[in-house]
Amino acid sequence: DHFLFLLNIRSPQLRQWLVKRGQSTVTVEAGASSTPAAATVPNAATNRIVGRWLLGCSGLVVGAVVLGGVTRLTESGLSMVDWHLVREMKPPQTQAEWEAEFSKYQQFPEFKIMNHDMTLPEFKFIFYMEWGHRMWGRLVGLAYILPTIYFWRKGYFTRSMKGKVLGLCGFVFFQGLLGWYMVKSGLEEKPESYDIPRVSQYRLSAHLGSALLLYCASLWTGLTLMLPAHKMAETKRLMQLRRFAKGTGGLVFLTALSGAFVAGLDAGLVYNSFPKMGERWVPDDLLAFSPTLKNFFENPTTVQFDHRILAISSLTAITGLYMFSRRMVLPRRAKIAISLLAAMAYGQVALGISTLLLYVPTPLAATHQSGSVALLSLAIWVLAELRKMPK
């Protein structure tokens, strides 16, 4: 009908106007339908949302690490002698329930050997410490899994991001199982050992190490989504700085892991002097165990010695990184990150030495442990600032 009407119009001007109007209507319609396509997800805005969520998750992981450290320092970790995903979320309420829980604890080596005169109020304290750590772990799990489902359905993840997020969620689950596997090692009867019952330092280091890996992966992914990469000329100096920063980050991670062995063996209590260990630079009992390799994981003296060496190496590397970066033109954020990393490294070493000299007081030791996570975070921030532009 429209075309018949057009043919009937004699006036060429009117005909032209109508044709033009028809074209513009078509373009407007095409424009309207293409607006949602222009705001496709994932885009910069959704990336920022996902980045913020991952930074929030990594913050919760820090909370778990700090709580776990305090649980270890107050020797509360073996107070809950079984593991149920849902049932243990409700702590004992009545006197009878508390007494039942306490009598379960009394059947295990820690009570028999170390805490045989413990009262119920004292038990409640260590129970709530461990319960708090476990509940925090549940919270971390939900903070990863629920938003993952939501963002996935909204289409906020790229294909590569989907793999990363699934990996992170799986890792959280693995972390919980590893925690229980660790606790189990402290509940076993060891008739041949006269030592105080404690969890295996290998499992403790695996539990802390995997928490730190989860933290680093979440922080790195979150930061790279939120901070655009700097356009920097790929000079030889920059590539050297980047390589130096990666090595330094690895050293900081290793030092934190060796700290888990120090905690697991109570190695902070063997030589409480600095810079010498007792009267000597290298203590006599450094390699007392055979085979030699066993000393590095089971001899408290060697474990403390290694932690000192690694800490001093990390401090030296970070100082070197700072000096090297001063002579370069770098983006402002990168300079700030490197300066903060250097300042934190000196603070962390001071905290470590103080913890040692004062015979490991719980508040100071817990602060030192949190300091290691802060140092690791700054090292990751430095790496995020120095990363290459994506192709």
Side-chain angles (χ1 to χ4, degrees), residues 308-321:
R308 289 175 181 228
I309 298 293
L310 283 166
I312 294 163
S313 308
S314 300
L315 184 66
T316 312
I318 291 170
T319 308
L321 185 74

Side-chain angles (χ1 to χ4, degrees), residues 195 198 200-202 261 264-267 285-286 289-304 306:
D195 202 2
R198 54 162 82 96
S200 150
Q201 71 275 24
Y202 296 104
F261 277 95
L265 287 168
D266 287 332
D285 52 345
L286 191 64
F289 295 8
S290 68
T292 308
L293 190 64
K294 206 172 160 185
N295 289 287
F296 292 93
F297 305 106
E298 296 182 17
N299 180 346
T301 303
T302 322
V303 166
Q304 193 196 108
D306 292 345

Side-chain angles (χ1 to χ4, degrees), residues 130-354:
E130 172 66 6
W131 181 81
H133 180 58
R134 290 189 188 193
M135 290 311 107
W136 192 277
R138 305 275 192 294
L139 175 71
V140 172
L142 292 175
Y144 275 93
I145 291 160
L146 296 179
T148 296
I149 297 166
Y150 174 76
F151 292 142
W152 194 291
R153 292 179 68 171
K154 295 275 276 189
Y156 281 18
F157 296 143
T158 58
R159 198 153 159 217
S160 77
M161 196 61 202
K162 282 180 178 173
K164 287 176 189 168
V165 168
L166 280 179
L168 291 173
C169 290
F171 215 71
V172 175
F173 183 67
F174 167 72
Q175 180 59 14
L177 293 178
L178 197 55
W180 171 241
Y181 178 62
M182 174 189 78
V183 167
K184 258 177 68 171
S185 69
L187 298 173
E188 290 157 4
E189 298 270 358
K190 300 188 183 81
E192 74 288 344
S193 159
Y194 294 103
D195 202 2
I196 58 166
R198 54 162 82 96
V199 298
S200 150
Q201 71 275 24
Y202 296 104
R203 296 183 194 183
L204 178 71
S205 302
H207 188 51
L208 177 70
S210 67
L212 292 177
L213 276 176
L214 174 67
Y215 173 66
C216 292
S218 307
L219 183 65
W220 170 261
T221 314
L223 284 178
T224 49
L225 284 171
M226 287 181 70
L227 302 173
H230 296 289
K231 291 187 175 69
M232 297 184 281
E234 281 293 315
T235 59
K236 195 175 165 205
R237 293 283 288 280
L238 180 65
M239 284 153 84
Q240 284 173 333
L241 183 74
R242 196 181 286 133
R243 222 175 296 138
F244 195 178
K246 282 178 187 166
T248 305
L251 202 53
V252 170
F253 189 87
L254 254 180
T255 311
L257 260 196
S258 83
F261 277 95
V262 173
L265 287 168
D266 287 332
L269 296 167
V270 284
Y271 284 96
N272 300 87
S273 55
F274 193 87
K276 287 186 177 180
M277 292 179 76
E279 300 296 307
R280 310 170 62 112
W281 288 103
V282 178
D284 301 339
D285 52 345
L286 191 64
L287 299 173
F289 295 8
S290 68
T292 308
L293 190 64
K294 206 172 160 185
N295 289 287
F296 292 93
F297 305 106
E298 296 182 17
N299 180 346
T301 303
T302 322
V303 166
Q304 193 196 108
F305 185 77
D306 292 345
H307 190 60
R308 289 175 181 228
I309 298 293
L310 283 166
I312 294 163
S313 308
S314 300
L315 184 66
T316 312
I318 291 170
T319 308
L321 185 74
Y322 176 79
M323 300 295 204
F324 189 69
S325 72
R326 287 291 98 185
R327 306 207 307 271
M328 292 172 67
V329 180
L330 287 174
R332 185 164 164 265
R333 271 203 327 247
K335 289 217 158 188
I336 292 172
I338 292 173
S339 304
L340 286 175
L341 176 69
M344 185 65 221
Y346 281 89
Q348 177 64 354
V349 168
L351 272 172
I353 296 170
S354 312

Side-chain angles (χ1 to χ4, degrees), residues 48-96:
R48 268 199 302 278
I49 294 169
V50 173
R52 279 194 199 125
W53 159 61
L54 283 172
L55 290 189
C57 284
S58 63
L60 286 174
V61 175
V62 174
V65 170
V66 173
L67 250 177
V70 177
T71 305
R72 168 80 199 89
L73 288 161
T74 52
E75 291 177 334
S76 310
L78 298 174
S79 57
M80 292 174 76
V81 294
D82 36 27
W83 195 83
H84 303 283
L85 188 61
V86 181
R87 210 164 67 211
E88 71 182 32
M89 287 169 119
K90 186 169 157 268
Q93 307 286 317
T94 62
Q95 184 68 15

